[in-house]
Amino acid sequence: MAKRIAYLGPPGTYTEDATERYDATAERDPRPTIAATAEAVRSGKADEGVAPIENSLEGAVNDTLDLLIREDVLMVRQEVLVDIRHCLLVKPGTQASDIRVVYSHPQALGQCRRYLEETFPNARPQAALSTAASVEQMLASDEPAGAIASRRAGNMYGAEVLQEDIQDQTGNTTRFVVLAREDHEPTGDDKTSICFDFDEDKGALVGDTPGLLHEVIREFAERRISMTKIESRPAKWEMGR
């Protein structure tokens, strides 16, 4: 039986592209959100799940980070890197001068921010759940609209490519993670993610102590452990935490 992999859908997203690159033989199971993708794996409805976690232009995908921070079942089994080449898609026959709204996932809108400001200063950006979903919204829009997605998504949904490679910088790359209930076997060349917080000490937050983060990082340096990235996320229960 083929492996079943959940991913951020609908069909035509960059996440589906990452899923296919990871395992072209698997049965693909599109889900409407990153949280729904994780839940499919957690509940056993899917063997694995694929979700974006970091983009070279826009940084971390916070939905995925926050999910992993609070998750106690799923693990990051593998990662997949995908070059992202955005296109401006429209209904066939739509002119650039007609466009009043541009749909896409917030990450894609951010990756094309300068292009949108210079080319469509009077068009409003409109967030969508995914790049492929933005194509569906654009095609259903009652006003002249565009969508930022892949050429593949345009072909899939019958949209016209008005312009290619509209991302603000070449080398635009997204890192996707493969979520599973079991970790990958050690390879000797692995990455490990650690989430930590600072506790309270005698009624005062230890997190207010000067040099506290340095004390944590020093533990890695003394053990010759290379750190590739540090990411700070709000604790969501107090300002500054």
Side-chain angles (χ1 to χ4, degrees):
M1 182 181 296
K3 182 191 301 181
R4 186 179 183 87
I5 302 180
Y7 69 93
L8 176 62
T13 60
Y14 292 102
T15 313
E16 185 186 36
D17 186 9
T19 303
E20 185 173 13
R21 290 170 187 243
Y22 169 62
D23 188 345
T25 67
E27 178 185 352
R28 295 194 287 274
D29 179 8
R31 297 284 169 157
T33 64
I34 292 172
T37 299
E39 178 56 33
V41 182
R42 185 188 300 108
S43 65
K45 295 177 181 177
D47 299 298
E48 296 173 335
V50 178
I53 194 169
E54 180 187 6
N55 176 260
S56 59
L57 299 186
E58 281 296 287
V61 179
N62 291 334
D63 285 351
T64 304
L65 281 185
D66 290 346
L67 183 148
L68 289 172
I69 287 171
R70 67 174 185 267
E71 179 59 55
D72 59 357
V73 175
L74 301 184
M75 299 183 180
V76 176
R77 185 173 179 82
Q78 199 158 321
E79 67 177 24
V80 182
L81 299 180
V82 176
D83 292 331
I84 305 297
R85 301 180 61 184
H86 290 306
C87 295
L88 181 68
L89 307 175
V90 296
K91 291 180 184 178
T94 300
Q95 302 298 313
S97 58
D98 297 331
I99 293 176
R100 296 291 177 266
V101 57
V102 178
Y103 295 95
S104 199
H105 188 276
Q107 278 273 334
L109 292 172
Q111 293 160 29
C112 303
R113 183 178 293 109
R114 187 168 65 247
Y115 167 82
L116 292 175
E117 291 172 349
E118 294 176 353
T119 311
F120 300 102
N122 298 317
R124 71 180 188 278
Q126 184 68 47
L129 289 175
S130 69
T131 52
S134 76
V135 182
E136 295 180 313
Q137 287 180 261
M138 175 271 292
L139 293 172
S141 176
D142 293 329
E143 58 184 329
I148 296 175
S150 66
R151 171 178 281 277
R152 178 188 183 194
N155 293 338
M156 189 173 294
Y157 293 98
E160 179 182 324
V161 176
L162 205 59
Q163 191 168 348
E164 291 187 277
D165 290 330
I166 64 172
Q167 59 274 358
D168 290 340
Q169 189 169 323
T170 58
N172 186 22
T173 304
T174 295
R175 184 190 312 276
F176 296 84
V177 290
V178 179
L179 305 175
R181 293 183 296 277
E182 295 181 357
D183 201 356
H184 195 285
E185 291 293 327
T187 66
D189 186 25
D190 303 301
K191 294 179 181 178
T192 300
S193 295
I194 299 174
C195 174
F196 64 88
D197 193 4
F198 301 110
D199 205 349
E200 297 183 3
D201 180 30
K202 298 180 181 179
L205 288 177
V206 174
D208 292 336
T209 304
L212 185 60
L213 182 59
H214 167 73
E215 292 297 317
V216 175
I217 296 175
R218 187 181 64 183
E219 297 293 333
F220 292 94
E222 290 178 349
R223 290 162 176 78
R224 309 291 296 173
I225 299 174
S226 176
M227 296 182 65
T228 61
K229 186 178 181 182
I230 300 176
E231 193 78 35
S232 178
R233 295 295 300 145
K236 303 184 187 298
W237 53 265
E238 184 178 352
M239 289 289 291
R241 291 282 285 168

